[in-house]
Short mmCIF file of all heavy atoms in Angstrom, two decimals:
data_model
loop_
_atom_site.label_atom_id
_atom_site.label_comp_id
_atom_site.label_asym_id
_atom_site.label_seq_id
_atom_site.Cartn_x
_atom_site.Cartn_y
_atom_site.Cartn_z
N MET A 12 -8.69 16.45 -7.06
CA MET A 12 -9.28 15.23 -7.56
C MET A 12 -8.22 14.33 -8.20
O MET A 12 -8.20 13.13 -7.98
CB MET A 12 -10.38 15.59 -8.57
CG MET A 12 -11.07 14.42 -9.16
SD MET A 12 -12.03 13.59 -7.90
CE MET A 12 -12.77 12.33 -8.83
N LYS A 13 -7.33 14.95 -8.99
CA LYS A 13 -6.28 14.18 -9.67
C LYS A 13 -5.31 13.56 -8.67
O LYS A 13 -4.87 12.43 -8.84
CB LYS A 13 -5.54 15.09 -10.63
CG LYS A 13 -4.61 14.37 -11.55
CD LYS A 13 -4.01 15.32 -12.56
CE LYS A 13 -3.13 14.60 -13.53
NZ LYS A 13 -2.55 15.49 -14.51
N GLU A 14 -5.00 14.29 -7.60
CA GLU A 14 -4.12 13.77 -6.56
C GLU A 14 -4.75 12.59 -5.83
O GLU A 14 -4.07 11.64 -5.47
CB GLU A 14 -3.75 14.87 -5.58
CG GLU A 14 -2.83 15.93 -6.14
CD GLU A 14 -1.48 15.35 -6.53
OE1 GLU A 14 -0.93 14.53 -5.76
OE2 GLU A 14 -0.98 15.70 -7.61
N ASN A 15 -6.06 12.67 -5.60
CA ASN A 15 -6.75 11.57 -4.94
C ASN A 15 -6.69 10.29 -5.78
O ASN A 15 -6.48 9.20 -5.24
CB ASN A 15 -8.21 11.93 -4.65
CG ASN A 15 -8.35 12.97 -3.57
OD1 ASN A 15 -7.46 13.14 -2.75
ND2 ASN A 15 -9.45 13.68 -3.58
N ILE A 16 -6.85 10.43 -7.08
CA ILE A 16 -6.79 9.27 -7.97
C ILE A 16 -5.38 8.67 -7.94
O ILE A 16 -5.22 7.45 -7.89
CB ILE A 16 -7.20 9.66 -9.40
CG1 ILE A 16 -8.68 10.03 -9.43
CG2 ILE A 16 -6.92 8.53 -10.38
CD1 ILE A 16 -9.15 10.62 -10.73
N LYS A 17 -4.37 9.52 -7.94
CA LYS A 17 -2.99 9.04 -7.87
C LYS A 17 -2.73 8.27 -6.59
O LYS A 17 -2.12 7.20 -6.61
CB LYS A 17 -2.00 10.21 -7.95
CG LYS A 17 -1.81 10.77 -9.32
CD LYS A 17 -0.76 11.85 -9.26
CE LYS A 17 -0.43 12.36 -10.62
NZ LYS A 17 0.64 13.38 -10.57
N HIS A 18 -3.20 8.80 -5.49
CA HIS A 18 -2.96 8.14 -4.21
C HIS A 18 -3.72 6.82 -4.11
O HIS A 18 -3.19 5.83 -3.60
CB HIS A 18 -3.32 9.06 -3.05
CG HIS A 18 -2.34 10.16 -2.88
ND1 HIS A 18 -2.70 11.39 -2.38
CD2 HIS A 18 -1.02 10.25 -3.14
CE1 HIS A 18 -1.65 12.17 -2.34
NE2 HIS A 18 -0.61 11.49 -2.81
N VAL A 19 -4.94 6.78 -4.61
CA VAL A 19 -5.72 5.54 -4.59
C VAL A 19 -5.04 4.49 -5.48
O VAL A 19 -4.91 3.33 -5.08
CB VAL A 19 -7.17 5.80 -5.05
CG1 VAL A 19 -7.90 4.50 -5.31
CG2 VAL A 19 -7.91 6.62 -4.00
N LEU A 20 -4.59 4.89 -6.67
CA LEU A 20 -3.91 3.95 -7.55
C LEU A 20 -2.62 3.43 -6.93
O LEU A 20 -2.30 2.25 -7.04
CB LEU A 20 -3.59 4.61 -8.89
CG LEU A 20 -4.71 4.66 -9.91
CD1 LEU A 20 -4.27 5.45 -11.13
CD2 LEU A 20 -5.13 3.27 -10.31
N SER A 21 -1.87 4.29 -6.28
CA SER A 21 -0.62 3.86 -5.67
C SER A 21 -0.87 2.90 -4.51
O SER A 21 -0.16 1.91 -4.35
CB SER A 21 0.21 5.05 -5.21
OG SER A 21 -0.45 5.75 -4.18
N VAL A 22 -1.90 3.15 -3.71
CA VAL A 22 -2.22 2.25 -2.60
C VAL A 22 -2.69 0.89 -3.13
O VAL A 22 -2.25 -0.16 -2.65
CB VAL A 22 -3.29 2.88 -1.67
CG1 VAL A 22 -3.84 1.85 -0.70
CG2 VAL A 22 -2.71 4.06 -0.92
N ILE A 23 -3.55 0.90 -4.14
CA ILE A 23 -4.03 -0.35 -4.72
C ILE A 23 -2.87 -1.15 -5.33
O ILE A 23 -2.76 -2.36 -5.14
CB ILE A 23 -5.12 -0.09 -5.78
CG1 ILE A 23 -6.39 0.41 -5.10
CG2 ILE A 23 -5.41 -1.33 -6.60
CD1 ILE A 23 -7.44 0.91 -6.06
N SER A 24 -2.00 -0.46 -6.05
CA SER A 24 -0.86 -1.13 -6.67
C SER A 24 0.08 -1.71 -5.61
O SER A 24 0.54 -2.86 -5.75
CB SER A 24 -0.12 -0.13 -7.55
OG SER A 24 1.03 -0.70 -8.09
N PHE A 25 0.36 -0.96 -4.57
CA PHE A 25 1.26 -1.45 -3.52
C PHE A 25 0.65 -2.65 -2.80
O PHE A 25 1.34 -3.66 -2.57
CB PHE A 25 1.57 -0.32 -2.53
CG PHE A 25 2.47 -0.76 -1.42
CD1 PHE A 25 3.82 -0.92 -1.64
CD2 PHE A 25 1.96 -1.01 -0.15
CE1 PHE A 25 4.66 -1.33 -0.62
CE2 PHE A 25 2.79 -1.43 0.87
CZ PHE A 25 4.14 -1.59 0.63
N LEU A 26 -0.61 -2.55 -2.44
CA LEU A 26 -1.26 -3.66 -1.74
C LEU A 26 -1.35 -4.90 -2.63
O LEU A 26 -1.21 -6.03 -2.15
CB LEU A 26 -2.64 -3.25 -1.25
CG LEU A 26 -2.65 -2.23 -0.11
CD1 LEU A 26 -4.08 -1.83 0.23
CD2 LEU A 26 -1.94 -2.77 1.11
N SER A 27 -1.55 -4.71 -3.93
CA SER A 27 -1.58 -5.83 -4.86
C SER A 27 -0.22 -6.53 -4.92
O SER A 27 -0.14 -7.76 -4.93
CB SER A 27 -1.97 -5.37 -6.26
OG SER A 27 -3.26 -4.84 -6.26
N ALA A 28 0.84 -5.75 -4.96
CA ALA A 28 2.19 -6.32 -5.01
C ALA A 28 2.50 -7.11 -3.74
O ALA A 28 3.01 -8.23 -3.81
CB ALA A 28 3.22 -5.21 -5.20
N VAL A 29 2.18 -6.55 -2.59
CA VAL A 29 2.44 -7.23 -1.33
C VAL A 29 1.58 -8.49 -1.21
O VAL A 29 2.07 -9.56 -0.81
CB VAL A 29 2.19 -6.28 -0.13
CG1 VAL A 29 2.24 -7.01 1.18
CG2 VAL A 29 3.21 -5.14 -0.15
N THR A 30 0.32 -8.39 -1.57
CA THR A 30 -0.59 -9.54 -1.50
C THR A 30 -0.14 -10.66 -2.44
O THR A 30 -0.12 -11.83 -2.06
CB THR A 30 -2.03 -9.12 -1.84
OG1 THR A 30 -2.42 -8.07 -0.95
CG2 THR A 30 -2.99 -10.27 -1.73
N LEU A 31 0.24 -10.30 -3.65
CA LEU A 31 0.70 -11.29 -4.62
C LEU A 31 1.93 -12.02 -4.11
O LEU A 31 2.01 -13.25 -4.17
CB LEU A 31 1.00 -10.62 -5.96
CG LEU A 31 1.46 -11.52 -7.09
CD1 LEU A 31 0.33 -12.46 -7.50
CD2 LEU A 31 1.90 -10.68 -8.27
N GLY A 32 2.89 -11.28 -3.60
CA GLY A 32 4.09 -11.90 -3.06
C GLY A 32 3.80 -12.79 -1.87
O GLY A 32 4.35 -13.88 -1.73
N PHE A 33 2.91 -12.35 -1.00
CA PHE A 33 2.56 -13.12 0.20
C PHE A 33 1.83 -14.40 -0.16
O PHE A 33 2.13 -15.47 0.37
CB PHE A 33 1.70 -12.25 1.13
CG PHE A 33 1.37 -12.91 2.43
CD1 PHE A 33 2.34 -13.03 3.42
CD2 PHE A 33 0.11 -13.42 2.66
CE1 PHE A 33 2.04 -13.64 4.63
CE2 PHE A 33 -0.20 -14.03 3.86
CZ PHE A 33 0.77 -14.14 4.86
N ILE A 34 0.88 -14.31 -1.08
CA ILE A 34 0.10 -15.49 -1.48
C ILE A 34 0.98 -16.53 -2.17
O ILE A 34 0.84 -17.73 -1.93
CB ILE A 34 -1.08 -15.09 -2.38
CG1 ILE A 34 -2.14 -14.36 -1.56
CG2 ILE A 34 -1.69 -16.29 -3.07
CD1 ILE A 34 -3.26 -13.76 -2.38
N CYS A 35 1.91 -16.08 -2.98
CA CYS A 35 2.75 -17.01 -3.73
C CYS A 35 3.71 -17.80 -2.84
O CYS A 35 4.21 -18.84 -3.26
CB CYS A 35 3.53 -16.27 -4.81
SG CYS A 35 2.45 -15.76 -6.14
N VAL A 36 3.95 -17.33 -1.64
CA VAL A 36 4.80 -18.08 -0.72
C VAL A 36 4.09 -19.35 -0.26
O VAL A 36 4.72 -20.37 0.00
CB VAL A 36 5.21 -17.20 0.48
CG1 VAL A 36 5.89 -18.00 1.56
CG2 VAL A 36 6.11 -16.08 0.02
N PHE A 37 2.77 -19.31 -0.18
CA PHE A 37 2.01 -20.42 0.37
C PHE A 37 1.38 -21.33 -0.68
O PHE A 37 0.80 -22.35 -0.34
CB PHE A 37 0.93 -19.89 1.31
CG PHE A 37 1.51 -19.16 2.47
CD1 PHE A 37 1.45 -17.78 2.54
CD2 PHE A 37 2.16 -19.84 3.49
CE1 PHE A 37 2.00 -17.10 3.61
CE2 PHE A 37 2.72 -19.17 4.56
CZ PHE A 37 2.64 -17.79 4.62
N ILE A 38 1.48 -20.97 -1.96
CA ILE A 38 0.96 -21.82 -3.03
C ILE A 38 2.01 -22.88 -3.37
O ILE A 38 3.19 -22.56 -3.46
CB ILE A 38 0.62 -20.97 -4.28
CG1 ILE A 38 -0.55 -20.04 -3.99
CG2 ILE A 38 0.31 -21.85 -5.47
CD1 ILE A 38 -0.87 -19.10 -5.13
N PRO A 39 1.58 -24.14 -3.55
CA PRO A 39 2.55 -25.19 -3.87
C PRO A 39 3.30 -24.88 -5.16
O PRO A 39 2.69 -24.37 -6.10
CB PRO A 39 1.70 -26.44 -4.04
CG PRO A 39 0.44 -26.14 -3.31
CD PRO A 39 0.24 -24.67 -3.40
N PRO A 40 4.57 -25.13 -5.28
CA PRO A 40 5.48 -25.62 -4.25
C PRO A 40 5.74 -24.53 -3.21
O PRO A 40 6.13 -23.42 -3.56
CB PRO A 40 6.74 -25.98 -5.01
CG PRO A 40 6.70 -25.15 -6.24
CD PRO A 40 5.24 -24.95 -6.56
N THR A 41 5.55 -24.86 -1.96
CA THR A 41 5.62 -23.92 -0.85
C THR A 41 7.01 -23.30 -0.75
O THR A 41 8.02 -23.98 -0.75
CB THR A 41 5.28 -24.63 0.47
OG1 THR A 41 4.00 -25.25 0.32
CG2 THR A 41 5.21 -23.64 1.61
N GLY A 42 7.02 -21.98 -0.65
CA GLY A 42 8.27 -21.25 -0.46
C GLY A 42 9.02 -20.93 -1.73
O GLY A 42 10.05 -20.25 -1.68
N ILE A 43 8.56 -21.37 -2.87
CA ILE A 43 9.24 -21.10 -4.14
C ILE A 43 8.36 -20.17 -4.96
O ILE A 43 7.21 -20.47 -5.25
CB ILE A 43 9.51 -22.40 -4.91
CG1 ILE A 43 10.43 -23.30 -4.10
CG2 ILE A 43 10.12 -22.09 -6.27
CD1 ILE A 43 10.64 -24.66 -4.70
N ILE A 44 8.92 -19.02 -5.31
CA ILE A 44 8.18 -18.04 -6.09
C ILE A 44 8.77 -18.01 -7.50
O ILE A 44 9.97 -17.85 -7.67
CB ILE A 44 8.26 -16.64 -5.45
CG1 ILE A 44 7.70 -16.68 -4.03
CG2 ILE A 44 7.50 -15.63 -6.28
CD1 ILE A 44 7.83 -15.37 -3.29
N ASP A 45 7.93 -18.14 -8.49
CA ASP A 45 8.37 -18.13 -9.88
C ASP A 45 8.90 -16.75 -10.26
O ASP A 45 8.48 -15.73 -9.71
CB ASP A 45 7.19 -18.51 -10.79
CG ASP A 45 7.64 -18.75 -12.21
OD1 ASP A 45 8.59 -19.54 -12.40
OD2 ASP A 45 7.05 -18.16 -13.13
N THR A 46 9.82 -16.71 -11.20
CA THR A 46 10.41 -15.43 -11.60
C THR A 46 9.39 -14.49 -12.22
O THR A 46 9.53 -13.27 -12.11
CB THR A 46 11.57 -15.65 -12.58
OG1 THR A 46 11.11 -16.41 -13.69
CG2 THR A 46 12.71 -16.37 -11.91
N SER A 47 8.37 -15.03 -12.87
CA SER A 47 7.36 -14.16 -13.47
C SER A 47 6.57 -13.42 -12.39
O SER A 47 6.20 -12.26 -12.57
CB SER A 47 6.42 -14.96 -14.37
OG SER A 47 5.72 -15.93 -13.61
N VAL A 48 6.34 -14.07 -11.27
CA VAL A 48 5.65 -13.41 -10.15
C VAL A 48 6.53 -12.33 -9.57
O VAL A 48 6.07 -11.23 -9.25
CB VAL A 48 5.26 -14.44 -9.07
CG1 VAL A 48 4.67 -13.76 -7.85
CG2 VAL A 48 4.29 -15.45 -9.63
N LEU A 49 7.81 -12.61 -9.42
CA LEU A 49 8.73 -11.60 -8.91
C LEU A 49 8.81 -10.40 -9.85
O LEU A 49 8.86 -9.25 -9.41
CB LEU A 49 10.12 -12.21 -8.70
CG LEU A 49 10.22 -13.25 -7.60
CD1 LEU A 49 11.61 -13.86 -7.58
CD2 LEU A 49 9.87 -12.64 -6.26
N TRP A 50 8.83 -10.67 -11.16
CA TRP A 50 8.88 -9.60 -12.14
C TRP A 50 7.63 -8.73 -12.05
O TRP A 50 7.72 -7.50 -12.06
CB TRP A 50 9.03 -10.19 -13.54
CG TRP A 50 9.12 -9.15 -14.60
CD1 TRP A 50 10.25 -8.50 -15.01
CD2 TRP A 50 8.04 -8.61 -15.36
NE1 TRP A 50 9.92 -7.60 -16.00
CE2 TRP A 50 8.57 -7.64 -16.23
CE3 TRP A 50 6.67 -8.86 -15.40
CZ2 TRP A 50 7.79 -6.93 -17.12
CZ3 TRP A 50 5.90 -8.13 -16.28
CH2 TRP A 50 6.46 -7.18 -17.13
N PHE A 51 6.46 -9.37 -11.97
CA PHE A 51 5.21 -8.63 -11.91
C PHE A 51 5.12 -7.82 -10.61
O PHE A 51 4.66 -6.67 -10.62
CB PHE A 51 4.02 -9.57 -12.04
CG PHE A 51 2.70 -8.87 -12.18
CD1 PHE A 51 2.42 -8.16 -13.33
CD2 PHE A 51 1.77 -8.89 -11.17
CE1 PHE A 51 1.22 -7.48 -13.49
CE2 PHE A 51 0.56 -8.22 -11.30
CZ PHE A 51 0.29 -7.52 -12.46
N THR A 52 5.57 -8.39 -9.50
CA THR A 52 5.58 -7.67 -8.23
C THR A 52 6.50 -6.46 -8.33
O THR A 52 6.14 -5.37 -7.87
CB THR A 52 6.04 -8.60 -7.10
OG1 THR A 52 5.16 -9.72 -7.04
CG2 THR A 52 6.05 -7.90 -5.77
N ALA A 53 7.65 -6.62 -8.94
CA ALA A 53 8.58 -5.50 -9.11
C ALA A 53 7.95 -4.40 -9.98
O ALA A 53 8.09 -3.21 -9.70
CB ALA A 53 9.88 -5.98 -9.72
N GLN A 54 7.25 -4.80 -11.03
CA GLN A 54 6.60 -3.82 -11.89
C GLN A 54 5.52 -3.05 -11.15
O GLN A 54 5.37 -1.83 -11.35
CB GLN A 54 6.00 -4.50 -13.13
CG GLN A 54 7.03 -5.05 -14.08
CD GLN A 54 7.93 -3.98 -14.63
OE1 GLN A 54 7.49 -2.93 -15.03
NE2 GLN A 54 9.22 -4.25 -14.62
N LEU A 55 4.76 -3.73 -10.30
CA LEU A 55 3.75 -3.04 -9.49
C LEU A 55 4.40 -2.04 -8.53
O LEU A 55 3.89 -0.93 -8.35
CB LEU A 55 2.91 -4.04 -8.71
CG LEU A 55 1.87 -4.82 -9.50
CD1 LEU A 55 1.28 -5.93 -8.64
CD2 LEU A 55 0.78 -3.91 -10.01
N LEU A 56 5.51 -2.42 -7.93
CA LEU A 56 6.20 -1.51 -7.01
C LEU A 56 6.82 -0.32 -7.75
O LEU A 56 6.81 0.81 -7.25
CB LEU A 56 7.25 -2.27 -6.21
CG LEU A 56 6.68 -3.31 -5.25
CD1 LEU A 56 7.81 -4.12 -4.63
CD2 LEU A 56 5.82 -2.66 -4.18
N ILE A 57 7.33 -0.56 -8.94
CA ILE A 57 7.86 0.55 -9.75
C ILE A 57 6.74 1.49 -10.17
O ILE A 57 6.89 2.71 -10.14
CB ILE A 57 8.62 0.00 -10.98
CG1 ILE A 57 9.91 -0.67 -10.54
CG2 ILE A 57 8.92 1.11 -11.98
CD1 ILE A 57 10.60 -1.45 -11.63
N PHE A 58 5.59 0.92 -10.54
CA PHE A 58 4.43 1.74 -10.89
C PHE A 58 4.00 2.60 -9.71
O PHE A 58 3.71 3.78 -9.86
CB PHE A 58 3.30 0.82 -11.35
CG PHE A 58 2.03 1.56 -11.68
CD1 PHE A 58 1.98 2.41 -12.77
CD2 PHE A 58 0.90 1.40 -10.91
CE1 PHE A 58 0.81 3.09 -13.09
CE2 PHE A 58 -0.27 2.06 -11.20
CZ PHE A 58 -0.32 2.92 -12.30
N THR A 59 3.99 2.00 -8.52
CA THR A 59 3.63 2.74 -7.31
C THR A 59 4.57 3.91 -7.08
O THR A 59 4.14 5.03 -6.81
CB THR A 59 3.66 1.81 -6.09
OG1 THR A 59 2.74 0.75 -6.29
CG2 THR A 59 3.32 2.55 -4.83
N SER A 60 5.87 3.65 -7.20
CA SER A 60 6.83 4.73 -6.97
C SER A 60 6.76 5.81 -8.04
O SER A 60 6.95 6.99 -7.75
CB SER A 60 8.24 4.17 -6.86
OG SER A 60 8.61 3.57 -8.07
N SER A 61 6.46 5.42 -9.27
CA SER A 61 6.37 6.44 -10.32
C SER A 61 5.13 7.31 -10.14
O SER A 61 5.15 8.50 -10.44
CB SER A 61 6.36 5.79 -11.70
OG SER A 61 5.19 5.04 -11.90
N ILE A 62 4.04 6.73 -9.63
CA ILE A 62 2.85 7.53 -9.35
C ILE A 62 3.15 8.55 -8.26
O ILE A 62 2.72 9.70 -8.32
CB ILE A 62 1.67 6.64 -8.93
CG1 ILE A 62 1.15 5.85 -10.11
CG2 ILE A 62 0.54 7.46 -8.33
CD1 ILE A 62 0.08 4.84 -9.74
N LEU A 63 3.90 8.12 -7.26
CA LEU A 63 4.22 9.01 -6.14
C LEU A 63 5.33 10.00 -6.47
O LEU A 63 5.66 10.84 -5.65
CB LEU A 63 4.59 8.17 -4.91
CG LEU A 63 3.45 7.29 -4.39
CD1 LEU A 63 3.96 6.43 -3.24
CD2 LEU A 63 2.27 8.13 -3.95
N GLY A 64 5.91 9.89 -7.65
CA GLY A 64 6.90 10.88 -8.08
C GLY A 64 8.33 10.51 -7.78
O GLY A 64 9.21 11.35 -7.81
N ILE A 65 8.57 9.26 -7.48
CA ILE A 65 9.94 8.82 -7.22
C ILE A 65 10.51 8.33 -8.54
O ILE A 65 10.07 7.32 -9.09
CB ILE A 65 9.97 7.70 -6.16
CG1 ILE A 65 9.31 8.19 -4.88
CG2 ILE A 65 11.39 7.22 -5.92
CD1 ILE A 65 9.06 7.11 -3.87
N ASP A 66 11.47 9.06 -9.06
CA ASP A 66 12.04 8.71 -10.36
C ASP A 66 13.39 8.01 -10.17
O ASP A 66 14.26 8.47 -9.45
CB ASP A 66 12.26 9.96 -11.21
CG ASP A 66 10.95 10.64 -11.54
OD1 ASP A 66 9.96 9.93 -11.72
OD2 ASP A 66 10.94 11.88 -11.62
N PHE A 67 13.53 6.89 -10.83
CA PHE A 67 14.80 6.19 -10.84
C PHE A 67 14.86 5.33 -12.08
O PHE A 67 13.85 5.09 -12.75
CB PHE A 67 15.00 5.34 -9.58
CG PHE A 67 13.96 4.28 -9.39
CD1 PHE A 67 14.16 3.01 -9.89
CD2 PHE A 67 12.80 4.56 -8.70
CE1 PHE A 67 13.20 2.04 -9.72
CE2 PHE A 67 11.85 3.58 -8.52
CZ PHE A 67 12.05 2.33 -9.03
N LYS A 68 16.06 4.89 -12.39
CA LYS A 68 16.24 4.06 -13.57
C LYS A 68 16.88 2.75 -13.15
O LYS A 68 17.89 2.74 -12.46
CB LYS A 68 17.15 4.77 -14.57
CG LYS A 68 17.34 4.03 -15.85
CD LYS A 68 18.17 4.83 -16.83
CE LYS A 68 18.33 4.06 -18.12
NZ LYS A 68 19.10 4.80 -19.09
N ILE A 69 16.25 1.67 -13.53
CA ILE A 69 16.82 0.36 -13.25
C ILE A 69 17.79 0.03 -14.37
O ILE A 69 17.43 0.01 -15.53
CB ILE A 69 15.72 -0.72 -13.14
CG1 ILE A 69 14.81 -0.41 -11.97
CG2 ILE A 69 16.33 -2.10 -13.01
CD1 ILE A 69 13.67 -1.38 -11.82
N ASN A 70 19.02 -0.21 -13.97
CA ASN A 70 20.06 -0.42 -14.95
C ASN A 70 20.96 -1.54 -14.48
O ASN A 70 21.29 -1.62 -13.31
CB ASN A 70 20.86 0.87 -15.11
CG ASN A 70 21.70 0.87 -16.37
OD1 ASN A 70 21.95 -0.18 -16.93
ND2 ASN A 70 22.09 2.04 -16.81
N GLY A 71 21.35 -2.40 -15.38
CA GLY A 71 22.22 -3.52 -15.01
C GLY A 71 23.68 -3.15 -14.91
O GLY A 71 24.50 -3.95 -14.51
N HIS A 72 24.01 -1.92 -15.26
CA HIS A 72 25.42 -1.51 -15.24
C HIS A 72 25.72 -0.75 -13.97
O HIS A 72 24.96 0.12 -13.53
CB HIS A 72 25.72 -0.61 -16.43
CG HIS A 72 25.40 -1.25 -17.75
ND1 HIS A 72 26.18 -2.26 -18.27
CD2 HIS A 72 24.40 -1.06 -18.62
CE1 HIS A 72 25.67 -2.64 -19.43
NE2 HIS A 72 24.57 -1.94 -19.67
N LYS A 73 26.86 -1.06 -13.38
CA LYS A 73 27.29 -0.36 -12.18
C LYS A 73 28.16 0.81 -12.60
O LYS A 73 29.12 0.66 -13.34
CB LYS A 73 28.07 -1.30 -11.27
CG LYS A 73 28.49 -0.68 -9.99
CD LYS A 73 29.20 -1.70 -9.11
CE LYS A 73 29.67 -1.03 -7.84
NZ LYS A 73 30.41 -1.98 -7.01
N LYS A 74 27.81 2.01 -12.10
CA LYS A 74 28.59 3.20 -12.43
C LYS A 74 29.65 3.43 -11.38
O LYS A 74 29.41 3.29 -10.19
CB LYS A 74 27.69 4.42 -12.53
CG LYS A 74 26.74 4.37 -13.70
CD LYS A 74 25.94 5.64 -13.77
CE LYS A 74 24.99 5.57 -14.96
NZ LYS A 74 24.19 6.76 -15.09
N GLU A 75 30.83 3.77 -11.82
CA GLU A 75 31.92 4.09 -10.90
C GLU A 75 31.74 5.50 -10.37
O GLU A 75 31.41 6.42 -11.12
CB GLU A 75 33.27 3.97 -11.62
CG GLU A 75 33.58 2.57 -12.10
CD GLU A 75 33.74 1.57 -10.98
OE1 GLU A 75 34.25 1.96 -9.91
OE2 GLU A 75 33.35 0.41 -11.17
N VAL A 76 31.93 5.64 -9.07
CA VAL A 76 31.74 6.97 -8.45
C VAL A 76 33.05 7.68 -8.34
O VAL A 76 34.07 7.20 -8.11
CB VAL A 76 31.11 6.82 -7.06
CG1 VAL A 76 30.95 8.17 -6.40
CG2 VAL A 76 29.80 6.11 -7.18
#
């Protein structure tokens, strides 16, 4: 039951992110997406990946290998 809830939440979150990004391309001014929309879309995609168990850290610093 818990796994089903996780999968449903991840699908809803992913579809919301894609839909939001797609709709904002066609809202005036056409082709320009505000940074707040991009931020929210990124947060939805990060939420989706965290539900599915993909762990990563977004960091502005580049590490030398």
Side-chain angles (χ1 to χ4, degrees):
M12 180 68 178
K13 190 175 183 180
E14 290 296 318
N15 290 337
I16 293 172
K17 283 183 175 182
H18 288 150
V19 168
L20 278 175
S21 65
V22 168
I23 290 171
S24 175
F25 179 76
L26 291 176
S27 297
V29 171
T30 303
L31 181 66
F33 184 75
I34 289 173
C35 288
V36 171
F37 298 106
I38 293 176
T41 305
I43 298 174
I44 301 176
D45 190 52
T46 55
S47 62
V48 174
L49 293 175
W50 181 85
F51 188 69
T52 302
Q54 292 299 315
L55 285 171
L56 294 173
I57 290 170
F58 177 67
T59 300
S60 63
S61 67
I62 288 174
L63 296 176
I65 303 169
D66 296 326
F67 60 92
K68 183 176 181 179
I69 297 178
N70 197 341
H72 303 287
K73 183 177 178 183
K74 293 183 180 180
E75 297 296 326
V76 178

